[in-house]
Amino acid sequence: ERGIEIKMSRFVSGGRHLDDAGKQAAESGSGVVVIGGGDGTISGLAKYFAKTGLTVGLLPFGTGNALVRDLDIPV
């Protein structure tokens, strides 16, 4: 309805699958990537998007949420 195209959507539980999803998302040609997860998921994926110019959105779904608290992102 709003002209937004979702190029990729993945649910992963960590490990190699998280790395695969990060690589694919970074190479997808999207301008925006949204990561939903906790500190481990976000920090595990950050390396794929650093220096890419992509806009990264964070959805804090973790229990501790230290990163989003440090960045003042509402939980």
Side-chain angles (χ1 to χ4, degrees):
E1 260 181 52
R2 299 190 185 245
I4 298 170
E5 178 186 350
I6 298 174
K7 293 187 177 191
M8 179 181 148
S9 175
R10 298 268 308 263
F11 174 83
V12 296
S13 59
R16 182 181 59 80
H17 300 291
L18 186 64
D19 288 331
D20 290 345
K23 289 174 191 173
Q24 285 183 336
E27 296 169 356
S28 71
S30 295
V32 176
V33 173
V34 179
I35 303 169
D39 294 332
T41 300
I42 293 168
S43 63
L45 290 171
K47 62 186 172 194
Y48 296 107
F49 309 118
K51 300 180 185 179
T52 64
L54 291 170
T55 298
V56 178
L58 304 176
L59 298 173
F61 294 143
T63 53
N65 291 320
L67 176 66
V68 296
R69 290 182 201 284
D70 288 346
L71 297 175
D72 290 327
I73 298 171
V75 292

